[in-house]
Amino acid sequence: MPLQVSDYSWQQTKTAVFISVPLRGVCARDADVFCTENYLKVNFSPFLFEVFLYAPIDDENSKAKIGNDTIVFTLYKKEVAMWETLSVSGVDKEMMQRIREKSILQAQERAKEATEAKAAARREDQKYALNVMMKIEEEERKKIEDMKENERLKATKELEAWKECQRKAEEQKTIQREEKFCEQGKQVGEERNKLKHKSLTRIAASRNLATKGRNSENMFLEKLKEDSIPGPRSVGSIKISFTPRVFPTALRESQVAEEEEWLHKQAEARRALNTDIPELSDLKEEEKNPEWLKDKGNKLFAKENYLAAINAYNLAIRLNNKIPLLYLNRAACHLKLKNLHKAIEDSSKALELLTPPVADNANGRMKAYIRRGTAFCQLELYIEGLQDYEAALKIDPSNKIVQNDAEKIRKIIQGTELKS
């Protein structure tokens, strides 16, 4: 049973009420203070102080100070007036219970509102943080795009500078050739003038010696004929015959028809040049050569500049889409960049062009199978990858590297762990 505290004191002004409640040993940690606009309670075991206020107060701005065995309340009135008493008179137990319950409900509603306000503030903070993060990511994306654009402009400038150097070098070579031709023309003219002068001198000398007799004249005329300029060589024709190509296959395993078809397709591929693309009109002649572009792409691949190498192969394929090595090399670039589906497409296109299967294109077919099989394995399509590796082994059964890779793929398919 708690002990009711009755020896308290209170004072008031028109705006505030001051209550002093003595509690022996009270501290802020152990005291339980509950206050609403009409009800005030302090519970400090075994003491209990409870008062039903005469008029409503501003419980949000009211204060309590605990110390020196006393709690001092400063309660601000909602209406400016002097109270007749501290607590309302004529309150029975039932009314006290209703006031207590009403005060508890008010406190609960206020706590609920405070919780909802705190949750709303937290949501606003999260929304603000999300907006800030999106803004930062947008700035980062824009920064990356700007860097890409700067790199593209830099590469374009370097390409233009390289083209200008090539053009100047070509102009210099043309000037040097023209100068060389002019010098050779001058030398030929001088030689002709010398020979003409020499012949005229000899003719004049022969005329001066004509009086020495017919025999002497004949002798000088024969000598003059011998020393004169020789006539042009007679026109003729040279016949050239080529030996037939010898294939490495034995007669009983001969694939002459397939190899002839392969050679015919290669010849057609070299002739299938598409130079009518409008955006290629400003390129130099060597830049319109697929072989030159293929060599350029190979050099860029060796320098690990795979994107630039792909651009070179793309342009070469636009000029001539019948050369299988272009697709095969571009597939290698896509493998390096992890563009696995594109690597599979290019390898398959190379295999379509590398037909019929003959010894001359065996190396290309083997590379195409290995690259496509590697792409399948990196996509975790191990069965398709194993099929391509086995097709490569049919071309070169003694290749140890391909044998080991195929065995690893089989173990993965069977679910066994490989030992490192």
Side-chain angles (χ1 to χ4, degrees):
M1 187 74 180
L3 301 177
Q4 292 285 343
V5 178
S6 58
D7 55 342
Y8 63 89
S9 62
W10 70 286
Q11 297 177 355
Q12 67 170 327
T13 64
K14 289 184 178 182
T15 58
V17 176
F18 306 96
I19 305 174
S20 178
V21 181
L23 294 173
R24 185 181 301 173
V26 68
C27 61
R29 183 188 61 215
D30 298 329
D32 181 15
V33 179
F34 179 73
C35 180
T36 62
E37 61 180 12
N38 295 108
Y39 180 68
L40 174 63
K41 184 182 76 170
V42 178
N43 185 12
F44 177 66
S45 183
F47 303 104
L48 174 66
F49 171 72
E50 184 180 43
V51 60
F52 300 92
L53 298 173
Y54 181 82
I57 62 170
D58 184 2
D59 55 333
E60 291 184 358
N61 295 321
S62 298
K63 297 179 290 185
K65 184 178 180 181
I66 301 175
N68 297 326
D69 295 339
T70 305
I71 301 179
V72 179
F73 294 98
T74 303
L75 310 178
Y76 295 101
K77 300 175 181 179
K78 282 191 174 182
E79 297 180 359
V80 178
M82 297 296 290
W83 292 358
E84 295 179 1
T85 59
L86 177 62
S87 61
V88 64
S89 59
V91 179
D92 55 8
K93 290 184 179 181
E94 185 178 351
M95 187 174 180
M96 288 181 183
Q97 185 63 28
R98 284 201 303 269
I99 293 174
R100 290 191 190 100
E101 291 175 355
K102 182 179 179 181
S103 299
I104 292 171
L105 289 174
Q106 288 178 350
Q108 290 176 349
E109 289 177 0
R110 190 173 300 168
K112 183 179 179 181
E113 291 175 357
T115 302
E116 291 176 352
K118 190 178 295 184
R122 189 182 300 113
R123 286 194 297 270
E124 289 295 326
D125 291 342
Q126 291 175 351
K127 185 177 180 181
Y128 174 76
L130 180 61
N131 290 333
V132 171
M133 288 299 297
M134 291 175 65
K135 187 176 180 181
I136 293 172
E137 290 178 357
E138 180 66 21
E139 291 176 353
E140 289 293 328
R141 187 190 64 77
K142 186 176 179 182
K143 184 178 178 181
I144 292 171
E145 291 294 331
D146 292 341
M147 290 175 62
K148 288 182 178 179
E149 182 65 19
N150 293 333
E151 288 295 326
R152 188 187 68 78
L153 293 175
K154 182 180 177 181
T156 304
K157 288 180 180 179
E158 290 178 355
L159 180 61
E160 292 296 330
W162 178 79
K163 288 181 180 179
E164 185 66 20
C165 292
Q166 292 293 107
R167 185 183 63 80
K168 289 181 179 179
E170 190 66 27
E171 289 178 356
Q172 188 67 25
K173 289 180 181 179
T174 304
I175 293 171
Q176 291 176 357
R177 284 197 297 267
E178 290 177 354
E179 291 177 353
K180 186 176 180 181
F181 289 152
C182 290
E183 290 177 0
Q184 290 177 354
K186 289 179 181 179
Q187 291 177 359
V188 170
E190 290 176 357
E191 290 294 331
R192 287 179 178 175
N193 290 334
K194 288 180 180 180
L195 291 173
K196 185 177 180 181
H197 179 70
K198 187 176 180 181
S199 63
L200 291 174
T201 303
R202 289 177 178 176
I203 291 170
S206 64
R207 287 177 180 175
N208 292 331
L209 296 174
T211 55
K212 291 185 178 181
R214 188 179 298 274
N215 294 331
S216 177
E217 182 179 359
N218 292 336
M219 180 181 66
F220 281 106
L221 287 173
E222 290 175 0
K223 186 176 181 181
L224 181 62
K225 288 180 180 179
E226 292 175 358
D227 295 336
S228 62
I229 298 173
R233 283 183 269 181
S234 59
V235 179
S237 60
I238 300 174
K239 186 177 181 181
I240 300 174
S241 60
F242 297 95
T243 58
R245 179 176 181 270
V246 179
F247 293 98
T249 52
L251 185 60
R252 63 180 177 276
E253 301 172 356
S254 176
Q255 293 181 326
V256 175
E258 289 83 356
E259 291 176 342
E260 290 294 337
E261 182 183 351
W262 166 250
L263 294 176
H264 180 67
K265 287 180 66 175
Q266 290 297 100
E268 285 185 347
R270 284 190 291 270
R271 290 194 297 271
L273 188 62
N274 182 17
T275 58
D276 297 332
I277 303 173
E279 56 265 31
L280 304 182
S281 58
D282 59 339
L283 297 180
K284 295 181 180 179
E285 288 302 321
E286 64 267 19
E287 294 174 348
K288 296 180 182 180
N289 186 351
E291 291 296 328
W292 184 88
L293 289 169
K294 178 173 72 68
D295 294 339
K296 184 71 175 177
N298 294 346
K299 292 177 182 178
L300 292 169
F301 182 88
K303 294 179 181 178
E304 298 183 0
N305 191 354
Y306 305 121
L307 286 175
I310 287 175
N311 290 334
Y313 295 137
N314 288 342
L315 183 55
I317 289 171
R318 293 187 67 186
L319 290 169
N320 192 335
N321 58 1
K322 301 294 184 182
I323 301 176
L325 284 180
L326 296 175
Y327 294 96
L328 195 59
N329 294 354
R330 193 171 68 176
C333 295
H334 285 311
L335 266 181
K336 292 291 185 180
L337 295 174
K338 302 300 180 183
N339 300 331
L340 303 178
H341 292 90
K342 291 184 178 180
I344 292 170
E345 291 177 5
D346 281 347
S347 300
S348 301
K349 182 63 177 179
L351 286 170
E352 289 179 9
L353 295 174
L354 289 167
T355 54
V358 294
D360 198 32
N361 58 26
N363 188 38
R365 287 185 289 114
M366 182 174 177
K367 289 181 179 179
Y369 280 123
I370 290 174
R371 288 171 189 173
R372 190 172 70 175
T374 303
F376 276 133
C377 290
Q378 291 184 12
L379 288 170
E380 297 184 1
L381 300 173
Y382 298 111
I383 295 176
E384 291 81 355
L386 180 60
Q387 291 174 354
D388 280 343
Y389 270 86
E390 289 177 345
L393 282 174
K394 290 180 181 179
I395 298 172
D396 186 7
S398 61
N399 193 311
K400 297 296 183 182
I401 297 175
V402 180
Q403 290 177 1
N404 294 335
D405 291 342
E407 185 61 28
K408 290 178 181 179
I409 297 170
R410 290 191 191 95
K411 290 182 179 180
I412 293 173
I413 294 173
Q414 295 170 0
T416 59
E417 295 183 355
L418 297 177
K419 295 181 179 180
S420 58

